[in-house]
Amino acid sequence: MARLRAPAAAPGSRAVLRFHRKYTLEETYEVFDAIERRDWPHLTEELGDLLLQVLFYAEMAANEATSPLPMC
Protein backbone atom coordinates (compact mmCIF):
# COMPACT_ATOMS: atom_id res chain seq x y z
CA MET A 1 0.00 0.00 0.00
CA ALA A 2 2.74 2.42 0.92
CA ARG A 3 4.43 1.91 -2.45
CA LEU A 4 1.18 2.53 -4.35
CA ARG A 5 0.60 5.79 -2.49
CA ALA A 6 4.21 7.01 -2.60
CA PRO A 7 4.93 10.24 -4.51
CA ALA A 8 7.19 8.25 -6.86
CA ALA A 9 4.43 5.74 -7.69
CA ALA A 10 3.37 5.31 -11.28
CA PRO A 11 0.60 7.77 -12.24
CA GLY A 12 -1.73 4.88 -13.12
CA SER A 13 -1.34 3.38 -9.65
CA ARG A 14 -2.22 6.64 -7.94
CA ALA A 15 -5.21 7.26 -10.25
CA VAL A 16 -6.69 3.84 -9.45
CA LEU A 17 -6.65 4.66 -5.76
CA ARG A 18 -9.06 7.58 -6.26
CA PHE A 19 -11.83 5.11 -7.05
CA HIS A 20 -11.16 2.92 -4.05
CA ARG A 21 -14.40 3.66 -2.18
CA LYS A 22 -16.63 1.93 -4.71
CA TYR A 23 -14.51 -1.22 -4.42
CA THR A 24 -14.94 -1.21 -0.66
CA LEU A 25 -18.70 -1.21 -1.07
CA GLU A 26 -18.51 -3.90 -3.75
CA GLU A 27 -16.38 -6.16 -1.55
CA THR A 28 -18.75 -5.65 1.37
CA TYR A 29 -21.69 -6.80 -0.75
CA GLU A 30 -19.69 -9.81 -1.93
CA VAL A 31 -18.98 -10.78 1.69
CA PHE A 32 -22.67 -10.43 2.52
CA ASP A 33 -23.64 -12.52 -0.52
CA ALA A 34 -21.23 -15.32 0.40
CA ILE A 35 -22.65 -15.37 3.94
CA GLU A 36 -26.23 -15.47 2.66
CA ARG A 37 -25.37 -18.37 0.33
CA ARG A 38 -23.35 -20.11 3.07
CA ASP A 39 -20.49 -20.37 0.59
CA TRP A 40 -17.72 -20.62 3.17
CA PRO A 41 -14.79 -21.15 0.76
CA HIS A 42 -15.86 -18.09 -1.23
CA LEU A 43 -16.41 -16.14 1.98
CA THR A 44 -12.77 -16.69 2.93
CA GLU A 45 -11.68 -15.19 -0.39
CA GLU A 46 -14.05 -12.24 -0.09
CA LEU A 47 -13.00 -11.51 3.49
CA GLY A 48 -9.40 -11.35 2.27
CA ASP A 49 -10.44 -8.83 -0.38
CA LEU A 50 -12.29 -6.75 2.20
CA LEU A 51 -9.31 -6.91 4.57
CA LEU A 52 -7.15 -5.44 1.82
CA GLN A 53 -9.56 -2.50 1.69
CA VAL A 54 -9.30 -2.05 5.48
CA LEU A 55 -5.51 -2.09 5.28
CA PHE A 56 -5.63 0.51 2.53
CA TYR A 57 -7.68 2.87 4.68
CA ALA A 58 -5.44 2.25 7.68
CA GLU A 59 -2.45 3.23 5.54
CA MET A 60 -4.26 6.38 4.42
CA ALA A 61 -5.10 7.33 7.99
CA ALA A 62 -1.51 6.73 9.13
CA ASN A 63 -0.22 9.09 6.43
CA GLU A 64 -2.70 11.92 6.90
CA ALA A 65 -2.50 14.67 9.49
CA THR A 66 -6.19 14.11 10.13
CA SER A 67 -7.94 10.84 9.50
CA PRO A 68 -9.90 10.68 6.22
CA LEU A 69 -12.46 8.49 7.97
CA PRO A 70 -15.43 10.12 9.70
CA MET A 71 -15.52 9.77 13.45
CA CYS A 72 -18.52 7.81 14.74
Side-chain angles (χ1 to χ4, degrees), residues 30-56:
E30 289 174 0
V31 166
F32 181 76
D33 181 59
I35 292 168
E36 287 290 303
R37 291 184 294 113
R38 297 177 148 305
D39 185 351
W40 308 128
H42 190 68
L43 175 62
T44 302
E45 178 184 331
E46 295 304 337
L47 285 171
D49 293 344
L50 186 58
L51 179 58
L52 183 61
Q53 305 296 318
V54 171
L55 294 174
F56 173 79

Side-chain angles (χ1 to χ4, degrees), residues 14-32:
R14 293 179 62 82
V16 168
L17 299 178
R18 289 186 211 135
F19 301 101
H20 208 60
R21 287 183 296 189
K22 81 174 189 177
Y23 297 119
T24 302
L25 184 58
E26 179 181 321
E27 294 302 337
T28 302
Y29 282 126
E30 289 174 0
V31 166
F32 181 76

Side-chain angles (χ1 to χ4, degrees), residues 1-7 14 17 55-68:
M1 289 299 169
R3 284 186 293 188
L4 285 175
R5 298 193 71 239
R14 293 179 62 82
L17 299 178
L55 294 174
F56 173 79
Y57 289 116
E59 177 73 21
M60 282 180 55
N63 290 318
E64 298 290 330
T66 59
S67 174

